[in-house]
Amino acid sequence: MAKDGIAFNDVVKALQKISQFIHKTPVLTCTQADKRSGRNLFFKCEFQQKTGSFKARGALNAVLRAKERLANCPGFVTHSSGNHGQAMAWASQVAGAPCYVVVPQMAPEVKKSAIRGYGARLVECGAQPQDRYDACDKLQKEKNLEFIPPYDHFDVIAGQGTISLEFLDQVPSLDAILVPISGGGLSSGIAIAAKAIKPDIKVYLVTPRGKKMEECLRSGKRPWHGPPQYLDTIADGIRLQQTGLITTPILTELAEKEVFEVDEEDIVDGMKFAFERMKVVIEAAAGASVAAAFSDRLRAMDPTMTNIGVILCGGNVDINHLPW
C-alpha cells in the first residue's frame, strides 16, 4: 500500500538501485547496554555508512532516479550544513554530475571541508534558515539545477527506508525500532518499509526536548507552521522544529503516538556510553537514540516488547569540539 505516493515496492527498488554503491551496515549488540535498558538492544550502525550517515541512501536514490527521469540533468543543488550536504556531494560524484551545496557561513569548517572533499561546490549563505532556501532557489533558477531537499522528497524517503529491509533481514525478531527525527525522512522511510514487512512492529520517534512531536502525531498537524525554526540542542542533526509536508501524514499514520523526548545531558550520556563501552564514534543525534533506549519510559512499556532496534544514524561529530 502506498503512503502519500511512496509504496513498499519503491523502497525495494531503491535498495536494488543503490546497493552496489553503499554499505550494508552491521548490527552491534552490547551486554552492558542490555543490562542498563532491561531489553535486548540491536544497534544499526549507520555511522559506518558512506559519508558517515544514513543520508547517503536517500541522496543516492534521489540522484540516480533524477538522472533516469531527466534527459539532460545539468546537476543538483541542496542546502545542508552537515550530513545531507556530504551525502549529496558524494551521490552526485557517483552519478558524474555537478553538485552545489548551500551552507551557512558559520557552519564548522570541518563540515565544509568534508563537503568539498566529495567534489561539491560550496555556496555560503546567511545564518537564518530562510537564507538557505533563498540561495537554493536562486542557484536552481540560474543554473537549471535539480533541487534535492534533505527529507521531504519521495525518492529520499524511499532510499532511507532501505535501512528497514536490511535491519529486519539481520534481526527478524525486532519488536520495535527507535528512530531519531528531524524533518522525518529517515523515520518515514523506516516506518513504511518496516510496517510492510512486519505489520505489528512499533516505530518510536526520538527527539530533543521541545519539538512537540507527540502533539503532532495525535493531532495530525505539523509541530510548527511558521518559517523554519531550530531547537536549541547539541544534536544538530535533529534540531529542526518542523516535520515535512510529505513526512508528517506518513508518521501520523504509521509511527507510535508515544514519542521519546530526551534531555541534553541524556544525549551526552548516550554518546559517552557508545564511545566508552561500545568503542564507536557517534554524533549527538545518534546519542539521542541511545538515551531513549536507556530511558525510564522504555522500561515502563510492555515487557513482552523485548527486542529493540536502535538507529545510530551518523558519526559525523567534530572530535575537536565534543559536547562535553
Side-chain angles (χ1 to χ4, degrees):
M1 182 170 58
K3 304 298 180 188
D4 277 2
I6 308 171
F8 174 62
N9 196 44
D10 296 321
V11 181
V12 174
K13 288 180 178 178
L15 186 59
Q16 293 170 347
K17 191 175 297 295
I18 68 176
S19 60
Q20 65 177 305
F21 303 105
I22 64 167
H23 298 310
K24 182 175 183 178
T25 54
V27 174
L28 294 181
T29 58
C30 175
T31 302
Q32 291 303 311
D34 292 351
K35 287 181 179 179
R36 184 166 172 181
S37 174
R39 314 273 176 158
N40 301 321
L41 301 181
F42 299 87
F43 298 91
K44 182 62 168 162
C45 299
E46 286 298 294
F47 61 89
Q48 292 186 356
Q49 188 51 264
K50 293 285 188 177
T51 75
S53 87
F54 74 93
K55 291 283 191 180
R57 297 173 182 267
L60 184 59
N61 188 51
V63 164
L64 294 180
R65 289 270 294 159
K67 290 279 284 185
E68 290 174 351
R69 188 176 68 252
L70 304 172
N72 296 301
C73 182
F76 299 92
V77 63
T78 194
H79 58 81
S80 170
S81 60
N83 291 342
H84 180 66
Q86 294 180 51
M88 276 299 299
W90 169 77
S92 299
Q93 189 177 62
V94 170
C99 180
Y100 295 79
V101 181
V102 174
V103 176
Q105 291 176 344
M106 76 293 304
E109 188 56 41
V110 64
K111 293 186 176 182
K112 295 179 185 178
S113 177
I115 291 170
R116 290 191 195 99
Y118 289 113
R121 304 176 194 183
L122 215 64
V123 179
E124 296 189 345
C125 68
Q128 299 304 312
Q130 190 60 44
D131 295 335
R132 300 184 181 200
Y133 297 98
D134 293 342
C136 269
D137 187 59
K138 182 180 178 182
L139 277 167
Q140 185 180 13
K141 290 175 180 176
E142 286 179 354
K143 300 182 181 294
N144 194 32
L145 301 170
E146 181 75 2
F147 174 55
I148 305 293
Y151 55 90
D152 223 20
H153 188 284
F154 294 127
D155 295 328
V156 169
I157 293 169
Q160 318 304 26
T162 61
I163 293 172
S164 286
L165 301 184
E166 289 183 8
F167 208 174
L168 283 168
D169 178 62
Q170 292 164 314
V171 192
S173 61
L174 286 180
D175 298 309
I177 305 176
L178 298 173
V179 191
I181 177 174
S182 183
L186 171 64
S187 48
S188 294
I190 283 178
I192 288 169
K195 290 283 188 176
I197 297 168
K198 193 173 184 179
D200 60 344
I201 197 169
K202 298 183 183 300
V203 176
Y204 291 103
L205 307 182
V206 180
T207 76
R209 190 71 62 187
K211 190 177 179 76
K212 300 182 180 179
M213 196 65 212
E214 196 162 301
E215 178 183 317
C216 165
L217 294 178
R218 295 185 186 280
S219 68
K221 298 178 181 179
R222 298 169 74 201
W224 181 262
H225 302 285
Q229 299 289 327
Y230 292 133
L231 299 168
D232 182 16
T233 175
I234 58 172
D236 61 326
I238 52 172
R239 63 179 179 151
L240 185 67
Q241 176 74 64
Q242 294 170 309
T243 48
L245 293 171
I246 297 173
T247 60
T248 299
I250 295 172
L251 295 170
T252 299
E253 180 178 354
L254 296 179
E256 301 304 310
K257 299 300 185 281
E258 299 84 2
V259 173
F260 289 80
E261 278 202 355
V262 294
D263 295 319
E264 299 295 281
E265 57 267 30
D266 294 325
I267 293 174
V268 169
D269 179 65
M271 290 181 71
K272 284 185 173 181
F273 183 92
F275 277 51
E276 295 172 353
R277 305 308 295 269
M278 298 174 66
K279 311 306 179 188
V280 298
V281 175
I282 60 171
E283 60 192 58
S289 295
V290 179
F294 293 161
S295 68
D296 292 336
R297 185 164 200 172
L298 183 62
R299 291 190 196 93
M301 286 181 169
D302 181 359
T304 64
M305 189 174 67
T306 57
N307 298 323
I308 311 297
V310 183
I311 304 295
L312 300 182
C313 53
N316 291 323
V317 61
D318 185 350
I319 59 174
N320 293 313
H321 299 90
L322 294 171
W324 55 85

